[in-house]
Amino acid sequence: MNRNVLPTLVGVFTSLFAIWALHTFLIVDDCLDNGGSFDYATAKCLLENGQTVESTLATIAVVLYFVVGFVVSFLVSNLIRKVFKIKAKS
């Protein structure tokens, strides 16, 4: 594998993990803010009266995920390049 590709791949996979963690946090937090309890087995927000609630963060979350993914990927790949002194090809 080319040494120049490795930092980018690690950055992308790190950003995917960060987006997954952020998504889980936002969904659970939104559920708890609405007075419900989050069922991790079904990944649904359950209210006290038995209703399930869908998150209202869908449009904001897509933009946030894009920005977080780009920034995390960029920072991690640059950090790996600096730590391991990998020069980018021109």
Side-chain angles (χ1 to χ4, degrees):
M1 181 183 290
N2 191 349
R3 275 184 70 154
N4 291 324
V5 176
L6 188 61
T8 304
L9 286 175
V10 172
V12 168
F13 284 118
T14 305
S15 69
L16 290 174
F17 178 75
I19 291 169
W20 173 75
L22 180 65
H23 176 74
T24 302
F25 172 75
L26 287 176
I27 297 300
V28 172
D29 188 52
D30 187 42
C31 176
L32 297 177
D33 286 346
N34 288 329
S37 63
F38 193 78
D39 183 15
Y40 287 95
T42 61
K44 295 192 181 205
C45 180
L46 304 172
L47 296 178
E48 290 179 7
N49 60 5
Q51 290 180 328
T52 58
V53 177
E54 296 293 325
S55 178
T56 58
L57 298 172
T59 56
I60 297 169
V62 171
V63 174
L64 182 64
Y65 297 158
F66 177 77
V67 171
V68 167
F70 181 77
V71 169
V72 168
S73 180
F74 179 75
L75 291 176
V76 168
S77 64
N78 280 338
L79 180 66
I80 290 173
R81 281 191 175 93
K82 285 185 181 185
V83 168
F84 294 108
K85 296 179 174 91
I86 299 172
K87 300 251 182 194
K89 282 187 177 179
S90 299

